[in-house]
Structures are given as structure tokens and as C-alpha cells.
Amino acid sequence: AMFEPHMNADATEQLELQNDLRRALEHNELTLHYQPKIDATRQLITGVEALLRWRHPVRGMVSPAIFIALAERFGLINRLGSWVIDEACRQIRAWEDQGLRMPVAVNLSVHQLREQGLAQRIEQALQRHGVAPSQLLCEITESVAMEDFQEAQRSFAELAAIGVYLSIDDFGTGYSSLNYLRQLPVQQLKIDGSFVRDLDKGDNARAVVQAVISLAHALGLRVVGEGVETPAQRDILLAMGCDELQGYLYARAMAAEELLDWAQGRQARGSVAFSPSLFGEP
């Protein structure tokens, strides 16, 4: 391998970003944005997915693809993950104080799954903010769950024991074993957006998605189609019996204060509304 000047520049920038990310945790530069999840048949908001954002004081918005990878490389991912869980619980409590019971989904990394005491820390965050465990949904990608199944099974069992909901994210992109899948105490599967994107382009993607939905329903799981961007994709998923939809067709991820304004505006136009269950109604 030959050394080139840009290698040193890249390493220096990585080091600077790493130090900036450590400070971001202390200087309130991190925020959560929330993307709505929509009941497919009733067109009602049923919850949101929390997505981490970093507004750097000099660089502006830093892509999660950059800083999440950086956090994993330099051992900061568990600190970030803990912050996300605590902030999600705080926001759930804030919405409940406004009379809105909004379930929030958070993503767990492979590093968090391997960490001892994960369920205990999540339970402490829930208790600290007075949030019911059923209001928090933990999403784990299929590839992470299958990478170390024994560890994933242990973590899933501990999380299920405290009452947290569990979901397999990006389903269809990993090398899953159906035998393993049925052993995990999950309530939901999320179809990867790459399949949804190709739904209106060919039969192969449709066959895979239909098979996933049928499999999930046979196992008693709800199915979320993510990455829905066109009415055609929505209509195909509806016809296949998909339970929930998520994607730019409905909304991008937004700040917490924007979410209520967005939903109320959509509700006024009759295009989407809050589920009555979000207000404690049956």
C-alpha cells in the first residue's frame, strides 16, 4: 500500500470529528427526529420511529451514515445509544403530559445487544420518566439479530421480560433462519425499503414482499413496509395486507414540536389522523 497525502487528511478529520462527537453529547448538539408510522387501512398515525440527528456548530448537519460509523469505530456507540433511549423516554413522557400516548421505536446496535445490563438500563430510563414499557419499541436489524443469535436471544428475552416491544428491522436483507426467527419474542417485522422501492417495477420484489407478509401474519406478527415513496407502492402494500406504512409519501423525520403541527394539519385536510388509541381510547 502506498501512502498518499489524502490519507493523513482523512485520518485527521476522523480524529477531529471523534472529539467533536464526544463534545456533542455534552453540549446538547444531538436531537431526535421522528418519522410517523401509519396504519395502512385506516390511515391513522400509530407511532413514530426516533432517528438521531447531529447539528455540528461549524459543519452543520452531519449525516448519520458518517457519525454512527464513527461512533462504532471509536467506541462511542453505547453512549449514543443510551442517550437515544433516555431522550425517547423523555419525549414520550412530554407527549403524554400533552394528552398524547405516542409509542416510539428506537434502533439498537449490535454493540448494545452485546452489552451486559441493556434491559436494566432501558427499564431505569422508563422508570425515570414514568413511561410504560409498551410505549417503547426496540428495533434490531435482521443481520444483527442473526450475527450472534445466542446473544440476541438473551437480550430479546430480557427486553421482553420488562414489557418492551420488539421488532426485526430490514427484514429480507440478511441471512436469517426461520427456525431462529420463530424463537425470538418479537411482535413486528419491517420489510426493507429496497424491496418496497421495487414493488411497482417487477414481479420478483412483489413475490418476496407477499411471502414476508404471509409469513409474518402466520407467526402472529405485524408488518411494517418502510421506504414507501409513491402511491403505487402504498396501494400494492395495502392489497397485500401490510399493517403499517412508513416513508416519504407520508412524511420525513421531523422534530418533536413539528410532528404535532404536521399531524394536525394532515388531520384537518382529512389525509391522515391520530389513532384514537393514542389518546387512551380503545
Side-chain angles (χ1 to χ4, degrees), residues 27 66 72 179 185 204 207 263:
H27 296 163
I66 293 174
E72 291 178 338
N179 182 49
N204 287 345

Side-chain angles (χ1 to χ4, degrees), residues 15-244:
L15 185 60
E16 290 176 354
L17 270 175
Q18 175 212 163
N19 291 328
D20 290 348
L21 185 55
R22 291 182 189 276
R23 287 194 292 268
L25 284 161
E26 302 164 1
H27 296 163
N28 299 319
E29 296 172 16
L30 300 175
T31 58
L32 289 182
H33 282 198
Y34 301 90
Q35 187 173 35
K37 297 163 73 175
I38 310 297
D39 183 287
T41 55
R42 298 185 296 164
Q43 294 296 290
L44 300 174
I45 303 169
T46 56
V48 293
E49 179 181 359
L51 300 168
L52 185 59
R53 297 290 183 263
W54 177 19
R55 183 178 294 279
H56 191 283
V58 177
R59 300 170 185 265
M61 297 300 292
V62 181
S63 168
I66 293 174
F67 73 80
I68 295 296
L70 194 72
E72 291 178 338
R73 179 180 176 185
F74 290 103
L76 296 173
I77 193 66
N78 285 343
R79 285 184 62 192
L80 282 184
S82 294
W83 184 89
V84 168
I85 291 166
D86 190 76
E87 176 62 14
C89 290
R90 185 202 65 77
Q91 186 59 58
I92 293 171
R93 176 76 265 161
W95 276 325
E96 287 200 8
D97 290 343
Q98 294 177 279
L100 183 65
R101 290 176 57 83
M102 180 75 79
V104 174
V106 298
N107 297 285
L108 298 181
S109 73
V110 62
H111 303 279
Q112 288 172 282
L113 280 185
R114 291 172 178 167
E115 194 180 15
Q116 294 296 317
L118 172 64
Q120 182 180 13
R121 278 188 290 281
I122 291 179
E123 187 173 32
Q124 289 170 349
L126 291 166
Q127 292 174 348
R128 183 161 53 249
H129 296 285
V131 172
S134 60
Q135 292 299 97
L136 185 70
L137 188 148
C138 292
E139 296 186 357
I140 300 95
T141 64
E142 179 187 19
S143 57
V144 165
M146 299 306 158
E147 181 178 323
D148 186 345
F149 180 76
Q150 298 301 323
E151 196 65 28
Q153 190 177 36
R154 177 192 62 78
S155 296
F156 274 50
E158 292 176 354
L159 291 168
I162 66 174
V164 168
Y165 276 36
L166 299 167
S167 172
I168 297 292
D169 197 5
D170 296 344
F171 190 79
T173 60
Y175 299 95
S176 66
S177 161
L178 298 183
N179 182 49
Y180 284 161
L181 177 63
R182 69 184 180 86
Q183 295 180 51
L184 295 174
V186 299
Q187 287 87 23
Q188 176 183 283
L189 290 185
K190 294 186 77 174
I191 301 171
D192 185 68
S194 62
F195 294 109
V196 174
R197 186 164 53 248
D198 293 337
L199 274 178
D200 50 356
K201 299 175 183 176
D203 293 335
N204 287 345
R206 294 191 190 192
V208 171
V209 171
Q210 183 65 77
V212 170
I213 292 174
S214 298
L215 169 67
H217 286 167
L219 294 173
L221 308 178
R222 289 180 63 81
V223 185
V224 179
E226 61 180 346
V228 181
E229 298 182 355
T230 69
Q233 293 165 353
R234 175 200 61 202
D235 294 343
I236 293 169
L237 288 169
L238 279 171
M240 290 180 174
C242 190
D243 300 297
E244 296 179 34

